[in-house]
Amino acid sequence: MKEIISSVGKLNHIAIAVPSIQIASDMWKKALGANISAPQILTDHGVKVIFVEAPNTKVELLEPLNENSPISRFLEKNPNGGMHHICYEVKNLKSASKKLEAVGARILGDGLPKIGAHGNPVIFLNPKDFSGTLIELEEIE
Ligand code: CO
């Protein structure tokens, strides 16, 4: 059997679900002096997103676009917002997916990559397999 070579790279971002991206990003800016990106609408993911830049990583603030958004369901349980997922960079999503499958870790949805906020393919892993943490893997070449 060929060895599957795949391991996580840098922490790309930490995502926080918020009821209002405007209020949240104002606070990050005013209180923490953080640089904030322009907002983006990601229809596929049902979210509006803003990136808060830090020297070594980013915080992604996520506001639901509508009530069908997965972020809406998260905010029902966490009305003030809260940590939603962390994102690791990987070199190759295909080999990462194979490795996950080999150890019985589950990919959410149909298991196929979608295009994420940075225009790169991403997958999300079942939080039940990772101590309650939703993990996003983003392919960075
Ligand atoms: Co993300």
Side-chain angles (χ1 to χ4, degrees):
M1 198 180 121
K2 219 171 76 185
E3 195 194 343
I4 304 163
I5 301 163
S6 171
S7 53
V8 290
K10 284 185 189 162
L11 181 67
N12 184 280
H13 61 267
I14 297 165
I16 299 175
V18 298
S20 162
I21 223 166
Q22 185 65 57
I23 293 172
S25 61
D26 278 357
M27 196 56 157
W28 248 268
K29 206 181 201 165
K30 277 192 225 146
L32 300 175
N35 280 331
I36 311 281
S37 77
Q40 287 179 57
I41 306 281
L42 300 180
T43 319
D44 273 7
H45 299 271
V47 294
K48 188 172 169 184
V49 53
I50 273 183
F51 289 104
V52 182
E53 310 284 345
N56 63 340
T57 189
K58 297 180 278 278
V59 166
E60 183 180 88
L61 301 176
L62 300 171
E63 179 190 300
L65 281 183
N66 53 54
E67 57 203 29
N68 299 323
S69 166
I71 301 301
S72 294
R73 289 194 290 278
F74 182 89
L75 288 174
E76 278 167 26
K77 290 178 209 146
N78 308 273
N80 296 318
M83 206 202 79
H84 185 262
H85 67 265
I86 64 175
C87 174
Y88 285 114
E89 298 178 1
V90 295
K91 284 220 169 69
N92 186 306
L93 265 186
K94 236 185 209 152
S95 69
S97 299
K98 270 190 199 146
K99 185 171 190 171
L100 290 160
E101 201 182 317
V103 301
R106 294 161 290 179
I107 299 168
L108 292 181
D110 58 14
L112 298 172
K114 282 187 180 174
I115 297 303
H118 309 107
N120 297 322
V122 301
I123 56 172
F124 286 89
L125 312 183
N126 194 318
K128 288 179 183 150
D129 298 331
F130 293 94
S131 314
T133 305
L134 178 59
I135 294 179
E136 176 182 19
L137 298 180
E138 176 173 346
E139 187 172 278
I140 306 264
E141 288 188 33

